[in-house]
Amino acid sequence: MGHFHVVEHFISINGEGRKAGQLAYFVRFAGCNLACEYCDTKWANEVGVSYEEYDEQEIYKMIKDAGIVNVTLTGGEPLVQKDMMKLLMLLRKDDSIQVEIETNGSVDIIPFLTEKAGYREDKEDNITFTLDYKLSVSGMEQKMCLSNYENIRSRDTVKFVVGSREDLFRSKEIIEKYRLVDKGCGIYISPCFGRIEPKEIVDFLTEQKLNDINMQLQLHKFIWNPEQRGV
C-alpha cells in the first residue's frame, strides 16, 4: 500500500481549465517542490502542515463515495507524492471517473505515462495533466521541466498565470516554440490576481491575433473569498 499526505478533500466546482464550472472532487496533497510568489495554497506546503495519511484504496473509496465523476488531484504538487504511481494505477482501472492532475510543470510527466502507472496506449486515458507553466511573476520559471511541453498530449492542458505584458509575450513564445496549438492541447491564460487587468490579456490576444487560446478567470475567487479553503 502507498502512503499519501492529504491536507483536505472536498466537492466544489472547477475554477479553471477545460471543465471550469463543473463539479469536481478535489484531493489536495501536502508539500511542494516550488515556492511561487503568488501561491494561494502556501499553507499546504509548509513544513509541519497538518495532514491525514491515506493509502490509495482509501482515496479511491473517498472518490467513489462522493459520487462525482470529475476528480482533481492538486496540492501542493501531487506528482512529488512518492507513491503517486500506485494511486494512478488504481484510478486508471475505473473509466467511470475522469481525473485531472494539476501539476506545476517542474516534474517530468513521462514516468506517469507508463505501464508502471497503469497507462495503456491502446486505451483512452481517463487521466489528464494540467501543466502550469511558471512565468516570471512566479519567480520559478527556471524550474520548469521543458520536455513536458514536447510530450504533452491533445487531452492535456497548459495554463499560464501572467502578471505583466512581458509574461504575455513569454507565454506566446512558449506556445509557438512547442507548437502547442498544433498539438491540440488546451491553452489557458489567466491573470495573476491583483497584478494585471483581464482586459490587458484580451487586448494582447487581439493584438497578436492568437487563435485557439483561452483567457480565463479563476471562478472560485469570485464566488468565495480568495483566501477561503475547501472550495
Side-chain angles (χ1 to χ4, degrees):
M1 289 290 183
H3 298 277
F4 300 89
H5 296 170
V6 176
V7 294
E8 60 178 357
H9 51 94
F10 54 91
I11 299 171
S12 186
I13 59 162
N14 270 307
E16 53 195 329
R18 292 188 180 189
K19 295 189 176 183
Q22 294 186 27
L23 283 178
Y25 186 74
F26 288 81
V27 181
R28 186 181 306 283
F29 298 97
C32 189
N33 59 327
L34 299 185
C36 296
E37 292 180 15
Y38 57 71
C39 181
D40 54 9
T41 53
K42 286 182 180 178
W43 62 271
N45 308 330
E46 294 172 358
V47 176
V49 65
S50 177
Y51 62 82
E52 294 189 6
E53 190 166 297
Y54 298 99
D55 63 36
E56 63 271 24
Q57 293 288 347
E58 290 170 323
I59 292 175
Y60 178 64
K61 184 178 186 305
M62 290 191 308
I63 290 169
K64 296 301 288 184
D65 287 349
I68 303 298
V69 170
N70 296 324
V71 179
T72 300
L73 305 182
T74 188
E77 171 49 56
L79 297 184
V80 299
Q81 294 283 313
K82 64 183 180 63
D83 292 320
M84 186 54 65
M85 294 279 197
K86 294 178 181 178
L87 179 58
L88 298 192
M89 171 75 80
L90 179 58
L91 297 182
R92 278 186 164 120
K93 292 178 180 177
D94 188 346
D95 288 336
S96 72
I97 56 176
Q98 296 295 314
V99 182
E100 176 187 10
I101 300 175
E102 291 189 338
T103 175
N104 62 30
S106 70
V107 181
D108 188 357
I109 64 173
I110 287 299
F112 303 95
L113 292 170
T114 61
E115 288 185 15
K116 189 176 179 182
Y119 179 70
R120 288 171 42 187
E121 290 190 4
D122 64 338
K123 177 175 171 291
E124 185 172 340
D125 200 4
N126 70 328
I127 290 178
T128 62
F129 294 89
T130 294
L131 294 160
D132 191 346
Y133 187 92
K134 302 298 184 184
L135 296 158
S136 64
V137 69
S138 72
M140 292 285 123
E141 186 173 4
Q142 73 279 9
K143 302 287 189 180
M144 291 297 90
C145 177
L146 295 177
S147 63
N148 282 338
Y149 305 93
E150 296 281 7
N151 296 315
I152 196 164
R153 306 166 298 170
S154 60
R155 64 188 301 101
D156 298 322
T157 297
V158 180
K159 71 173 185 177
F160 300 89
V161 177
V162 301
S164 65
R165 187 167 174 82
E166 289 72 27
D167 282 348
L168 285 165
F169 275 106
R170 180 60 174 158
S171 300
K172 178 175 182 283
E173 184 180 338
I174 294 298
I175 290 165
E176 292 176 346
K177 179 177 180 180
Y178 294 100
R179 300 176 61 247
L180 298 181
V181 171
D182 292 344
K183 289 175 180 173
C185 61
I187 306 171
Y188 293 84
I189 297 179
S190 299
C192 182
F193 204 70
R195 293 287 294 272
I196 188 172
E197 290 300 319
K199 179 181 181 298
E200 191 170 344
I201 299 175
V202 178
D203 289 344
F204 181 80
L205 295 177
T206 304
E207 163 199 315
Q208 299 293 318
K209 295 183 170 54
L210 297 179
N211 296 298
D212 299 312
I213 295 170
N214 305 278
M215 195 283 282
Q216 190 169 67
L217 304 177
Q218 295 176 301
L219 290 177
H220 51 287
K221 290 186 177 179
F222 290 87
I223 299 172
W224 297 281
N225 184 305
E227 304 301 320
Q228 187 167 334
R229 300 182 189 181
V231 295

